[in-house]
Structures are given as C-alpha cells and as structure tokens.
Amino acid sequence: MTDFQTSPSGNVDQIVDAFGRFDAKVDAMRERRLNDPDSLGDKMLKFAIPSVAGFIASKAFQLVWNGLMAKRASQRAGRHSAQSAVTRENSVGSGKLGDGTIDERESLFMSIAFSALSAALSAVVSQLSDRGSQALVNRRHRRR
C-alpha cells in the first residue's frame, strides 16, 4: 500500500502548473481575438468576394470556350461537307493537329489548353479580387 503514496503534493503542483499554462494560452487567444481589427462581416467579405469572382470568371470562360469550340466545329462541318468523299478519306488518317478531324491527340491538346487557361484565369481573378476585398476592408477600417 505504500507504493501509491509517493509525494501527492508533487503531482498536485504539476497539475496546477499545467492549468496555469493552459490559462495563459486561453488568455493569449482571447487577447488576439479582441485585438483583431476585422469583424465577422469583414472576414466574410474577404472570403466571399474572391470566391464568387473566381467562380463567375471560370463559368464565363467556360461559356466563351464552349461557344468558340461550337463555332469551330460548325466551320469544320461546313468545310467537310464541301470536300469530296475521296479527300475526306485521305484526311481522316493524317493525324496532324488542325487537319480538320478531331482525334484523340487533338482532343487531349484542347482539354489541356482549356484546363491551363481556366486555371490561370481563375488564379488571376481570385488574386485581384482578394486585393480588392482587402482594400475595401481597409477603407472601412479607416472610416471607423
């Protein structure tokens, strides 16, 4: 029974010290929250504006891309209807980009081009709208 009675005051001191460190961390977090100049509305603005702007820009780019591809396909179809059957048979197997036929290689190239351009546009729009929303929040802070 004497094994369990090893300096209970040492354990209590360790527990009290742990609570003291925890209390200090909570106080620091509370101070940081109280001293933060951004309100909940400011934080929502800084999140929502870049997100919505990036989404709208990517959807607009997708509409433009689809329109251009549909226009290109209709031009290609008109060009093919004017060609003779012999000429079409010769061009089907050529495998060159821009030869008038859509093959796997050209489809892959167009998919990669769309992905790269869409990502670049979304990144640029998100960065610019992020700067704009930060400027809006800063202006609101100066007016207070």
Side-chain angles (χ1 to χ4, degrees), residues 3-85:
D3 293 339
F4 295 111
Q5 296 179 357
T6 57
S7 72
S9 64
N11 289 337
V12 171
D13 290 339
Q14 289 176 348
I15 293 172
V16 170
D17 288 341
F19 278 133
R21 287 191 307 271
F22 181 76
D23 189 42
K25 287 182 182 180
V26 169
D27 287 340
M29 289 172 58
R30 182 182 305 120
E31 281 299 315
R32 201 173 24 207
R33 183 183 55 85
L34 291 175
N35 292 331
D36 187 11
D38 292 344
S39 67
L40 180 62
D42 295 339
K43 291 179 185 202
M44 288 179 64
L45 272 175
K46 290 188 333 188
F47 168 75
I49 290 175
S51 299
V52 171
F55 177 75
I56 290 172
S58 67
K59 287 301 176 183
F61 178 73
Q62 184 178 10
L63 285 173
V64 169
W65 181 271
N66 290 342
L68 289 174
M69 291 299 110
K71 183 178 176 183
R72 185 174 176 209
S74 67
Q75 287 174 350
R76 191 178 289 157
R79 195 170 49 226
H80 280 304
S81 64
Q83 291 178 345
S84 67

Side-chain angles (χ1 to χ4, degrees), residues 127-142:
Q127 282 294 321
L128 292 176
S129 60
D130 187 39
R131 290 180 187 177
S133 64
Q134 184 63 47
L136 177 69
V137 168
N138 290 343
R139 190 172 70 219
R140 286 185 57 195
H141 285 234
R142 283 193 304 264

